[in-house]
Amino acid sequence: MLFQVRMDVHLPVDMPAEVANDIKAREKAYSQDLQRCGKWRHIWRVVGEYANYSIFEVESNAELHDILCGLPLFPYMKISVTPLCRHPSSIRDDDI
């Protein structure tokens, strides 16, 4: 199953820099592990915002939920999820 996920991050302005940097480092490692194993297929930054659009390929809604809840930045995010399916006009063989 493919999902488009928008993640908007809202760290508290009074969060100590060392705490924020630790969370961001753990987030990067977690997301890169998911990218390496193929679950997190794409990630794009939204210009001028602390936000991204990502494409996930997972087995179920529950798996995506677990992945998103496991993000170190999850408590500071607004997340919106859109399920996707292959368009009949697509010429890409790797579309699901």
Side-chain angles (χ1 to χ4, degrees), residues 23-81:
I23 295 169
K24 291 175 194 179
R26 289 186 290 117
E27 180 86 7
K28 182 176 183 177
Y30 182 75
S31 71
Q32 289 180 342
D33 285 345
L34 289 165
Q35 290 174 66
R36 283 186 201 86
C37 76
K39 299 287 183 185
W40 197 323
R41 288 182 57 177
H42 301 280
I43 183 170
W44 294 277
R45 175 177 284 165
V46 178
V47 175
E49 300 180 35
Y50 194 172
N52 73 75
Y53 280 102
S54 293
I55 303 295
F56 287 85
E57 183 176 349
V58 294
E59 294 297 319
S60 66
N61 295 336
E63 182 181 14
L64 179 63
H65 180 79
D66 290 344
I67 286 171
L68 296 177
C69 289
L71 292 166
L73 284 169
F74 180 77
Y76 310 102
M77 289 181 168
K78 177 184 175 208
I79 297 175
S80 125
V81 176

